[in-house]
Amino acid sequence: MKQWKIHPYDRSAAVAYAHQWAYGFNPRYYNFTNIGGDCTNFASQCIYAGCGIMNYTETFGWYYLDINHRAPAWTGVIYLYQFLTRNQEAGPFAREVSPREVMPGDICQLVIDQENFHHSPVIVSVGRPGNLDEILVAAHTYPTDNKPLSGYDFQKVRFLHIEGFRRWE
């Protein structure tokens, strides 16, 4: 009998992908920099590198086939948050945690100059737990790698700890 099976998230694969593509764009994916930003597209690519499973549920899933065939969660900050924290089916799932609980491969989301979260850097390294100077990130839109989270001028931050992914088996 088939059921959802939980698998561990491959953090090292997600981080390796982040380092590989931080200053470039994987030609398999559209570059959204000039049409709203590429940060969440890049974060989704990194998460996918760490799990290899997409969720093809229309509207509320998390997938990318091409620019015209993708879920809002693949490229939208709030939609990625909603998908990861609510997902009970195929693909990755996460919970919001304190900065003391983050690990490489997790995602942080920032409010910088608006009221809403609108930037999704990928955590690539964690020094002392909870120290924002020692949480290093990679991101797109404004390409960066190994940037201290404290280097952003943000008003609010939240952290998404990827707990694993589900696959139907």
Side-chain angles (χ1 to χ4, degrees):
M1 175 193 233
K2 283 192 167 193
Q3 61 185 7
W4 293 115
K5 184 171 180 192
I6 295 175
H7 296 271
Y9 177 57
D10 187 342
R11 296 178 179 285
S12 61
V15 169
Y17 186 95
H19 289 312
Q20 178 181 359
W21 294 104
Y23 293 109
F25 296 91
N26 184 335
R28 184 181 180 295
Y29 301 96
Y30 186 82
N31 175 357
F32 293 88
T33 298
N34 295 322
I35 56 170
D38 198 58
C39 64
T40 305
N41 177 39
F42 177 68
S44 287
Q45 291 172 44
C46 294
I47 296 168
Y48 182 67
C51 70
I53 298 292
M54 293 185 188
N55 179 313
Y56 294 98
T57 304
E58 281 201 44
T59 307
F60 300 109
W62 176 78
Y63 64 92
Y64 178 96
L65 300 173
D66 60 43
I67 188 173
N68 298 313
H69 301 94
R70 69 185 194 284
W74 190 271
T75 54
V77 176
I78 186 67
Y79 302 114
L80 178 63
Y81 174 84
Q82 290 171 346
F83 174 79
L84 289 173
T85 59
R86 297 176 184 173
N87 183 30
Q88 297 291 313
E89 297 182 351
F93 59 96
R95 65 183 168 90
E96 194 170 338
V97 298
S98 78
R100 299 184 74 66
E101 299 173 85
V102 298
M103 298 174 70
D106 287 341
I107 307 297
C108 59
Q109 294 187 322
L110 308 173
V111 173
I112 296 177
D113 58 2
Q114 299 174 6
E115 293 181 17
N116 300 316
F117 287 94
H118 65 277
H119 192 47
S120 299
V122 178
I123 297 169
V124 295
S125 179
V126 178
R128 284 180 289 148
N131 185 330
L132 300 187
D133 290 328
E134 295 186 27
I135 296 175
L136 305 182
V137 299
H140 269 193
T141 302
Y142 304 104
T144 192
D145 193 14
N146 288 311
K147 179 178 181 168
L149 187 55
S150 62
Y152 285 96
D153 183 19
F154 60 86
Q155 295 147 0
K156 227 172 146 184
V157 61
R158 65 182 173 204
F159 298 94
L160 297 172
H161 176 69
I162 311 295
E163 297 198 296
F165 65 94
R166 291 182 187 87
R167 182 170 45 217
W168 189 250
E169 297 179 2

